[in-house]
């Protein structure tokens, strides 16, 4: 599943933005304060709305008044379009969040549309407002009988709960279940190196946590269950990090310890004593070689603590991850990382009149022409041509 279109309205600095034809790997560039972190928080916010509720998601961000765009009176709105698989019909999800007459946050509108065939008109299969509405039952594998599908009236426990949270638990609501899984599986990295260094109680972990505090556990899982993947990660570490000859995750006194071996010394070093860059590269390789890729992986500024020459290789790792089935969004300031980015993958954030607009770099005639002539995007960024030209759109 891949997000193809995203519309955001009245969410912090995004008063009204629309991105369409989003590729498997998308890279976002902008000056400090342009809204890159806020853009990634859109996915964290929607995930919180689903896994918790709308009120909890807003409260975690300071409340409704802090989330809605400054001096705007409308609702906070999102539109997401995706396909369940390549060649499948387009699914559109619309969500509008506002306040009721008691100033409490509620879901004002929640709609799922399903387009019959590849060019037919969209058909509502879920239509909810203020905690109640109706949904259609069925898988809709045949497009000609969707109008005859059974409709079921539903009422949620509270008007700040998403309908896709409840109905998405049942297989009979096939498309809604796919949408729930898509949002639930979004991974917005908030990696903390100090957390990743710590020893952890021996526990079962298949996937790297968002802050990376279970790095040793996941390394042990891969070593025990996917040795070929772990060996590939180790080989890449040897090639990219000078001195690393082995990595081990061992159990001691009920704890898992992550240790790195240096070919010059007999005994391995604890993760507490290796460089930040070594820990971060190992964590990224663990994350990007997950046997079960996330539907969407969001990573902010991966260049921090990494040697610049490693960034072009890391960009290729992100692209390889996206080709395996997991969509990737990356924000960056790094010229070295940008030099490995394709023009069609780059989006730029520009602030205008206090709000952020998002532009596709390929839509700038001059940037497109320079790129075709051989200029790398990192070079154009260093020369301050990239955002200057794109902001003219």
């Amino acid at each position: 599943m891949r997000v193809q279109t995203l519309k955001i309205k009245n969410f912090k600095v995004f008063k009204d933005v629309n991105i369409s034809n989003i590729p498997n790997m998308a890279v976002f560039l902008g000056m400090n304060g342009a809204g890159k972190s806020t853009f990634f928080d859109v996915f964290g916010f929607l995930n919180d709305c689903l896994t918790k509720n709308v009120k909890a998601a807003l409260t975690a961000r300071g409340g409704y008044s802090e989330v809605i765009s400054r001096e705007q009176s409308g609702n906070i709105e999102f539109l997401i379009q995706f396909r369940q698989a390549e060649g499948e019909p387009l699914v559109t999800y619309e969500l509008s969040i506002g306040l009721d007459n008691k100033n409490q946050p509620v879901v004002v509108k929640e709609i799922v549309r399903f387009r019959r065939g590849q060019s037919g008109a969209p058909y509502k299969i879920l239509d909810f407002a203020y905690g109640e509405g109706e949904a259609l039952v069925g898988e809709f594998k045949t497009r000609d009988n969707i109008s005859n599908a059974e409709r079921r009236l539903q009422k949620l426990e509270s008007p700040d709960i998403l309908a896709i949270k409840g109905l998405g638990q049942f297989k009979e609501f096939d498309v809604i279940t796919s949408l729930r899984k898509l949002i639930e599986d979004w991974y917005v990295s908030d990696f903390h190196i100090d957390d990743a260094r710590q020893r952890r109680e021996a526990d079962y972990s298949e996937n790297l946590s968002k802050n990376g505090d279970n790095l040793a556990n996941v390394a042990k899982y891969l070593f025990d269950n996917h040795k070929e993947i772990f060996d590939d990660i180790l080989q890449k570490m040897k090639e990219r990090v000078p001195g690393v000859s082995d990595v081990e995750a061992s159990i001691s006194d009920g704890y898992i310890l992550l240790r790195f071996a240096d070919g010059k010394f007999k005994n391995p070093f604890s993760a507490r004593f290796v460089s930040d860059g070594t820990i971060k590269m190992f964590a990224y390789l663990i994350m990007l070689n997950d046997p079960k890729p996330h539907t969407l992986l969001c990573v902010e500024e991966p260049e921090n603590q990494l040697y610049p020459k490693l960034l072009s290789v890391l960009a290729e790792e992100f692209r390889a991850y996206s080709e395996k089935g997991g969509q990737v969004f990356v924000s960056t300031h790094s010229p070295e990382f940008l030099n490995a980015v394709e023009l069609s993958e780059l989006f730029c954030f520009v602030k205008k009149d206090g709000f952020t607009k998002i532009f596709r770099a390929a839509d700038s005639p001059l940037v497109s022409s320079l790129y075709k002539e051989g200029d790398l995007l990192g070079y154009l960024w260093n020369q301050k041509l990239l955002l200057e030209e794109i902001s003219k759109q």
Side-chain angles (χ1 to χ4, degrees):
M1 292 184 286
R2 176 170 67 87
V3 176
Q4 292 190 297
T5 301
L6 177 65
K7 295 182 181 180
I8 311 167
K9 189 172 182 180
N10 292 335
F11 184 84
K12 299 186 179 181
V13 296
F14 298 111
K15 185 176 74 170
D16 190 5
V17 300
N18 180 4
I19 318 174
S20 58
N21 299 317
I22 304 175
N24 283 347
M25 176 170 163
V27 177
F28 299 93
L29 176 69
M31 302 295 288
N32 289 332
K36 298 186 299 299
S37 295
T38 302
F39 178 73
F40 280 13
D41 189 45
V42 167
F43 304 100
F45 176 75
L46 290 172
N47 184 279
D48 286 348
C49 286
L50 176 64
T51 57
K52 301 172 185 175
N53 57 51
V54 168
K55 185 176 182 178
L58 289 167
T59 300
R61 292 159 178 81
Y64 187 86
S65 61
E66 291 299 316
V67 174
I68 190 168
S69 299
R70 297 298 183 195
E71 300 181 2
Q72 302 306 304
S73 57
N75 297 324
I76 301 168
E77 299 179 5
F78 306 95
L79 182 146
I80 302 166
Q81 290 185 323
F82 74 99
R83 298 184 190 276
Q84 292 173 277
E86 195 67 33
E88 287 286 309
L90 194 67
V91 177
T92 300
Y93 179 58
E94 297 177 57
L95 176 65
S96 178
I97 297 170
L99 298 175
D100 64 12
N101 54 14
K102 296 181 180 178
N103 273 339
Q104 293 299 308
V106 293
V107 178
V108 176
K109 179 180 70 175
E110 186 178 11
I111 295 174
V112 178
R113 300 178 189 273
F114 184 85
R115 193 170 70 189
R116 295 170 290 180
Q118 295 300 308
S119 58
Y123 197 95
K124 287 184 183 179
I125 62 171
L126 182 144
D127 189 356
F128 268 66
Y130 299 96
E132 56 186 79
E134 63 179 19
L136 272 63
V137 177
E139 294 186 2
F140 312 133
K141 295 302 181 184
T142 58
R143 318 303 179 199
D144 57 348
N145 63 354
I146 187 173
S147 59
N148 298 319
E150 178 187 353
R151 295 173 177 270
R152 291 189 184 174
L153 296 176
Q154 306 282 342
K155 187 171 183 178
L156 302 173
E157 185 178 347
S158 172
D160 68 342
I161 297 174
L162 299 189
I164 62 171
K165 177 179 182 177
L167 301 183
Q169 303 291 332
F170 301 99
K171 290 185 178 180
E172 59 190 354
F173 299 107
D174 179 66
V175 177
I176 299 171
T177 299
S178 295
L179 176 58
R180 176 186 63 82
K181 290 179 178 178
L182 173 73
I183 297 176
E184 274 186 346
D185 196 43
W186 286 345
Y187 180 100
V188 183
S189 176
D190 186 24
F191 182 73
H192 296 163
I193 289 176
D194 288 341
D195 290 339
R197 292 182 188 278
Q198 303 304 314
R199 68 176 189 169
R200 287 286 304 270
E201 290 187 9
D203 197 4
Y204 183 81
S205 294
E206 293 187 16
N207 309 106
L208 191 67
S209 63
K210 293 180 180 180
N211 66 354
D213 64 350
N214 65 342
L215 178 60
N217 301 68
V218 180
K220 185 72 166 59
Y221 165 77
L222 289 177
F223 181 86
D224 291 340
N225 299 277
H226 298 277
K227 188 63 164 53
E228 71 288 351
I229 294 178
F230 186 86
D231 288 343
D232 184 52
I233 292 172
L234 179 57
Q235 182 58 38
K236 289 176 179 177
M237 286 293 293
K238 292 177 182 178
E239 294 170 357
R240 299 173 191 179
V241 183
V244 172
S245 60
D246 196 8
V247 182
E248 63 180 46
S250 58
I251 299 177
S252 175
D253 297 327
Y255 289 88
I256 292 186
L257 305 176
L258 188 63
R259 300 194 297 177
F260 293 80
D262 189 317
K264 297 179 180 179
F265 300 94
K266 182 178 180 180
N267 297 318
F269 296 93
S270 166
R272 291 179 297 167
F273 303 113
V274 299
S275 70
D276 289 353
T278 298
I279 292 289
K280 195 166 188 181
M281 177 56 75
F282 185 64
Y284 279 152
L285 290 174
I286 289 286
M287 178 178 66
L288 293 171
N289 287 275
D290 193 325
K292 297 178 181 179
H294 294 279
T295 55
L296 175 63
L297 176 68
C298 297
V299 180
E300 281 196 79
E301 299 179 7
E303 62 266 23
N304 294 339
Q305 291 94 31
L306 289 183
Y307 188 56
K309 289 185 177 180
L310 293 176
L311 296 176
S312 61
V313 178
L314 185 60
E316 293 298 331
E317 292 281 354
F318 281 119
R319 187 174 292 112
Y321 183 94
S322 73
E323 292 170 352
K324 289 187 294 185
Q327 193 171 17
V328 175
F329 289 174
V330 181
S331 71
T332 186
H333 287 128
S334 165
E336 290 82 7
F337 190 93
L338 284 171
N339 282 339
V341 172
E342 298 174 5
L343 182 64
S344 61
E345 297 170 336
L346 184 61
F347 296 80
C348 297
F349 288 45
V350 178
K351 250 190 172 179
K352 292 186 175 183
D353 301 321
F355 296 103
T356 297
K357 294 288 186 181
I358 303 177
F359 299 97
R360 189 185 301 270
D363 289 342
S364 167
L366 179 58
V367 171
S368 183
S369 175
L370 292 171
Y371 180 82
K372 290 177 181 177
E373 290 175 5
D375 284 321
L376 298 177
L377 296 174
Y379 170 79
L380 298 178
W381 170 241
N382 267 339
Q383 296 301 311
K384 300 183 179 180
L385 288 172
L386 204 53
L387 292 185
E388 286 183 8
E389 288 302 317
I390 288 171
S391 63
K392 296 177 182 179
Q393 296 183 53

